[in-house]
Amino acid sequence: MNPNNTPLRQYVNIKDYDSRYAADIRDDAYFTFPVGPILEAERALLSGQAGTIAYFSMEYGLATSIYNVYGSARPVSDDNKMTENEVFSNERIPDYLFSLKVDALVDLPIYSGGLGVLAGDTVKTAADMKLPMVAIGILWSKGYFKQRFWFKFGQLPEEMKWDPETFPGLIPLEEKVKLELKNKVIYLRLWKYYVFSRTRDHVVPLVLLDSNVEENDEAGRRLTDKLYRSDDVSGRILQRLILGMGGIRALAALKYPVRIHHLNEGHAAFAFVRKAGDTPGADLEALKSQFAYTCHTPVPAGHDRFSVGECETYLESQDMALVKTFGLEDAKSTVVNLTILAMNTSSSINAVSWKHGEVMKLQFPDYQDRIKAITNGVHFPTWVSAPILKVLDAFAKQMGDYRRDPELLKNVLSLKEDQAFRKGLWQAHQENKKVLASLLSRWRFKEDALTVVWARRIAAYKRPSLLLQDIERLMDIARRIGPLQVLFAGKAHPNDNMAFTYVNEIMNTIDKTQTSGGLLKIMILENYDIYIAKALVSCVDIWLNNPLPPYEASGTSGMKAIANAVPQLSTVDGWVVEAKDSGIGKFFGYEDDGRGYTDGLTLRLNEDARALYAALEEMARLYYDTQKNGEINTQSAWIDMMIHCLAAAGRFNTFRMLNEYRSKVWGMK
Ligand SMILES: *Cc1c(COP(=O)(O)O)cnc(C)c1O
């Protein structure tokens, strides 16, 4: 075998192939995965026959630590492996700070949270559905950040280190992109990561832009180091120019003809400006039919805004003219809003849940006739756990091939009266819970105690500490009904002072609370990431979600939990509005009346906490009614909820979601 002729090199110009990648990329293998599907996908994309969708996203959470894990013949740098995470708990035996050791490859650290996970799940599903897609993102050389606990006093952000050169599956390309801005040139190196389908018969290439190259000056090299961590305006605007404009140039450099540019959030809105500039004489109206835009936030601060002056620092006059035509907040404004720019230059606009669609129409009344709503989903094969798959497989006849088409999960309802299935499902969940119990054994985590978790990005509207408003009331539930274990996890953005205080508050409450002989155990896990998310969504009993309506555009972590038959305890916002009548849990608290949000927001902590405790108490009764002294009560209403969760997972997944994008956005059959 002559490695220099390995067939992939007909299509891909791999940099340093001979010195670094020859052992992993061979005639028959790509980092232990089959090479054939890559060749086929590249051939189809390059031919231009496919009608390619170029998907732009600032972040991607691909779950490489748990799903489609590449192998490598070369040693992987220790920086690419997971480290220890601390756990802070009121279970003080013999001390209350211990580390949780994880032995896994780190997730490709180019995501911060839900938006990235959604993008990653989308790309994986596009591969499963064999869609002609190429994804564009940024190689964040220092990731987002690593959360460290500072004893019991809150969070310290630490720089994340990782090594792209030994990250299995990631390859540098020979092509470089040159982005000429006003008085400034940015060079971008390109990387590629192939995202395989579940059955490994198709791929979507993910192209990552990287400014850390010799040709750039010091500041230029740092532009793509930290995701969402730029403190100055010029850094923020340049990162958006890199994604949007650099992305268009990357597609051209790699010779991928594109039919539709799909902007996952407004960050990439400058793509249209570059495409128009690079297509002399283009009919701008016709060009808009090549762009589609998905908005992910109902929070006004979530939309990127720059002054005309800030844009003029970097954009030549022709580009500026387009930005002013399409991107100003209104005709007299001097503010460029990337959401407006994206909406004015796209032929399709969508929100990410029905509720978010309503809110977005109120926010942008001029666009209301054009705003569609396509509810988010999660990639079922990534998020479902092995014990749940096993019990479903045991009833394959009723289920159909739900792995190929997760919408078939709705068939689980036909098993509702089947006592063997009910018992099997409960036991599968107990098996999952054992995994968490062994991870947290030093904190005496109990398999048979009701376990509630709140885990997601720490932000004020998500109300992280709602459950801790009245510890006496929690203790009262534990005393009367049964022991409670409460887990928290989440990162606060280092510049979000308000979010910081929630980490302090949670730790402070943990510090002050007695376990009362194990009746009420509270713990917070350090450095919430995809790996921890997967463990939590499959291994806990109740998934708690309590944002203040209507600020949650969709939310997806609860969807990961229902894919594992884990019931919801939630306020009614985002995707939950569509799911609350499906018997998947209990719902409580303030509901938005449809008039949209008010800006002088109060978080309604007291009244919603009271409603939360009442709902939790009802759930605790159902839970403790399901298993007593080792006997399983298969009639328990708790098991009904678990079955309804799995059935609802048939809707809240990315297969249903991408089918909607195909027909409503991309014009595919
Ligand atoms: C799914 C996920 C999120 C999103 O959670 P929401 O509940 O939708 O806010 C954030 N972070 C990680 C690591 C996730 O896996």
Side-chain angles (χ1 to χ4, degrees):
M1 181 177 68
N2 177 358
N4 292 325
N5 292 332
T6 194
L8 184 61
R9 300 184 79 198
Q10 298 166 38
Y11 300 105
V12 186
N13 299 315
I14 306 165
K15 187 169 181 294
D16 301 328
Y17 174 79
D18 296 316
S19 59
R20 286 214 169 101
Y21 299 97
D24 281 316
I25 303 173
R26 306 191 317 257
D27 285 15
D28 55 345
Y30 183 88
F31 292 91
T32 69
F33 278 51
V35 84
I38 301 181
L39 304 179
E40 233 172 89
E42 288 286 6
R43 204 179 295 132
L45 290 168
L46 292 166
S47 77
Q49 306 294 305
T52 298
I53 298 149
Y55 187 85
F56 286 66
S57 180
M58 203 64 148
E59 48 171 316
Y60 291 87
L62 289 163
T64 55
S65 62
I66 51 173
Y67 185 77
N68 274 349
V69 185
Y70 280 119
S72 179
R74 284 191 304 150
V76 173
S77 155
D78 281 346
D79 287 337
N80 291 338
K81 298 192 181 136
M82 294 219 183
T83 47
E84 302 182 339
N85 294 323
E86 277 180 6
V87 176
F88 183 73
S89 165
N90 63 344
E91 180 69 64
R92 303 166 191 210
I93 316 160
D95 197 351
Y96 49 23
L97 275 177
F98 275 131
S99 295
L100 194 70
K101 290 189 183 60
V102 179
D103 186 20
L105 199 63
V106 79
D107 280 298
L108 192 55
I110 55 170
Y111 74 99
S112 82
L115 179 70
V117 174
L118 188 271
D121 280 5
T122 298
V123 173
K124 281 179 276 183
T125 311
D128 292 338
M129 292 169 75
K130 297 198 168 68
L131 298 184
M133 181 180 277
V134 48
I136 302 283
I138 291 179
L139 186 109
W140 299 103
S141 60
K142 290 180 181 168
Y144 179 44
F145 73 94
K146 197 184 256 173
Q147 179 190 52
R148 283 285 175 235
F149 288 161
W150 181 41
F151 187 47
K152 57 181 184 182
F153 303 111
Q155 143 190 324
L156 272 187
E158 202 173 83
E159 202 163 86
M160 154 92 201
K161 268 201 295 215
W162 70 289
D163 177 22
E165 264 146 26
T166 64
F167 198 93
L170 184 62
I171 51 168
L173 306 183
E174 292 285 0
E175 287 87 352
K176 268 185 198 160
V177 161
K178 186 176 172 190
L179 190 60
E180 307 97 339
L181 302 170
K182 193 155 104 191
N183 309 321
K184 190 172 182 76
V185 178
I186 300 173
Y187 291 88
L188 300 166
R189 166 165 60 165
L190 305 182
W191 298 75
K192 218 174 228 186
Y193 188 87
Y194 288 105
V195 179
F196 266 86
S197 65
R198 178 180 61 86
T199 51
R200 303 190 179 181
D201 58 352
H202 190 70
V203 296
V204 169
L206 167 61
V207 176
L208 297 169
L209 307 156
D210 172 13
S211 77
N212 188 12
V213 289
E214 284 167 13
E215 293 91 327
N216 292 328
D217 60 16
E218 265 301 301
R221 296 178 66 155
R222 281 199 306 269
L223 281 171
T224 56
D225 67 354
K226 292 185 209 152
L227 173 61
Y228 304 137
R229 297 290 308 283
S230 186
D231 295 330
D232 55 20
V233 179
S234 64
R236 286 201 316 123
I237 195 167
L238 286 168
Q239 287 173 348
R240 280 143 187 83
L241 291 167
I242 286 172
L243 179 65
M245 296 191 161
I248 292 290
R249 288 282 165 83
L251 290 165
L254 297 175
K255 304 192 169 58
Y256 287 134
V258 172
R259 185 171 67 90
I260 289 175
H261 305 82
H262 193 107
L263 313 181
N264 187 46
E265 257 309 344
H267 304 124
F270 291 115
F272 179 88
V273 177
R274 186 69 287 114
K275 186 73 187 173
D278 287 355
T279 321
D283 170 354
L284 292 184
E285 283 310 310
L287 203 56
K288 289 181 194 175
S289 70
Q290 293 179 25
F291 283 79
Y293 164 59
T294 300
C295 179
H296 283 271
T297 178
V299 182
H303 303 280
D304 281 323
R305 302 163 86 235
F306 299 101
S307 73
V308 166
E310 284 155 4
C311 293
E312 273 169 346
T313 312
Y314 298 110
L315 293 179
E316 300 283 7
S317 57
Q318 325 74 289
D319 291 345
M320 232 15 249
L322 288 170
V323 168
K324 284 200 224 162
T325 305
F326 296 117
L328 295 181
E329 288 203 328
D330 60 67
K332 288 187 223 79
S333 170
T334 56
V335 174
V336 174
N337 183 320
L338 295 194
T339 300
I340 302 288
L341 180 61
M343 289 198 294
N344 285 339
T345 55
S346 294
S347 57
S348 171
I349 307 170
N350 76 281
V352 290
S353 71
W354 297 350
K355 178 73 197 170
H356 179 219
E358 288 169 22
V359 174
M360 199 179 164
K361 286 176 186 183
L362 289 173
Q363 248 177 333
F364 302 104
D366 294 349
Y367 300 83
Q368 57 180 332
D369 297 340
R370 295 178 52 212
I371 294 172
K372 306 166 210 178
I374 299 179
T375 305
N376 280 345
V378 296
H379 184 245
F380 181 74
T382 299
W383 295 102
V384 70
S385 58
I388 296 292
L389 283 177
K390 203 166 137 209
V391 68
L392 290 174
D393 281 347
F395 293 82
K397 232 191 253 146
Q398 285 92 331
M399 292 304 300
D401 191 355
Y402 68 94
R403 292 184 202 228
R404 187 185 51 75
D405 178 8
E407 298 197 43
L408 295 175
L409 286 164
K410 62 177 189 286
N411 293 342
V412 79
L413 289 179
S414 68
L415 291 164
K416 212 173 149 187
E417 306 305 327
D418 188 316
Q419 300 308 307
F421 178 71
R422 296 177 70 94
K423 188 170 175 191
L425 187 56
W426 176 260
Q427 287 172 330
H429 179 66
Q430 300 317 302
E431 233 178 279
N432 270 330
K433 222 168 155 188
K434 277 202 185 92
V435 175
L436 195 59
S438 84
L439 268 177
L440 297 175
S441 61
R442 300 182 79 169
W443 295 270
R444 294 192 191 168
F445 184 91
K446 290 211 187 74
E447 285 165 40
D448 54 358
L450 175 61
T451 304
V452 185
V453 70
W454 186 100
R456 52 185 53 74
R457 179 166 64 89
I458 304 234
Y461 80 86
K462 289 177 183 264
R463 302 189 293 189
S465 59
L466 190 68
L467 184 62
L468 301 181
Q469 293 305 301
D470 184 352
I471 288 292
E472 218 5 80
R473 177 78 170 95
L474 263 188
M475 188 65 90
D476 165 59
I477 296 173
R479 247 185 240 118
R480 286 187 294 112
I481 303 169
L484 285 176
Q485 297 178 132
V486 179
L487 269 66
F488 289 93
K491 292 177 177 177
H493 188 286
N495 296 354
D496 185 343
N497 294 330
M498 181 84 170
F500 253 78
T501 63
Y502 288 109
V503 186
N504 299 355
E505 183 188 353
I506 292 169
M507 290 186 126
N508 202 18
T509 307
I510 290 173
D511 195 37
K512 287 191 317 212
T513 303
Q514 302 293 319
T515 64
S516 299
L519 263 188
L520 178 58
K521 212 170 289 179
I522 315 176
M523 45 185 85
I524 179 166
L525 313 185
E526 192 179 52
N527 203 42
Y528 184 55
D529 60 10
I530 288 177
Y531 188 87
I532 295 179
K534 170 79 186 254
L536 295 180
V537 294
S538 50
C539 303
V540 303
D541 302 309
I542 294 180
W543 194 260
L544 174 64
N545 174 54
N546 46 228
L548 176 73
Y551 289 88
E552 191 68 88
S554 166
T556 53
S557 60
M559 301 179 191
K560 302 167 193 167
I562 61 172
N564 288 290
V566 168
Q568 309 289 301
L569 175 54
S570 180
T571 49
V572 182
D573 200 15
W575 74 279
V576 175
V577 175
E578 296 157 52
K580 71 173 203 306
D581 297 326
S582 331
I584 62 170
K586 297 252 178 257
F587 304 94
F588 66 92
Y590 170 75
E591 286 190 40
D592 175 60
D593 59 7
R595 276 178 295 152
Y597 57 89
T598 46
D599 270 336
L601 84 136
T602 83
L603 288 169
R604 297 173 195 270
L605 292 180
N606 289 335
E607 57 269 52
D608 277 8
R610 274 197 301 276
L612 164 55
Y613 294 127
L616 176 62
E617 180 164 343
E618 280 179 51
M619 284 188 94
R621 283 187 202 286
L622 295 181
Y623 174 84
Y624 280 112
D625 187 35
T626 314
Q627 184 161 343
K628 273 200 189 109
N629 312 321
E631 289 280 307
I632 301 171
N633 166 14
T634 55
Q635 300 303 317
S636 165
W638 187 274
I639 298 176
D640 289 337
M641 280 196 294
M642 294 178 74
I643 294 173
H644 289 147
C645 284
L646 281 175
R651 168 164 161 71
F652 296 98
N653 66 70
T654 37
F655 289 79
R656 186 270 313 148
M657 180 187 90
L658 278 197
N659 276 328
E660 288 193 50
Y661 277 97
R662 283 168 61 133
S663 60
K664 296 179 189 168
V665 176
W666 300 330
M668 297 164 87
K669 289 274 145 38

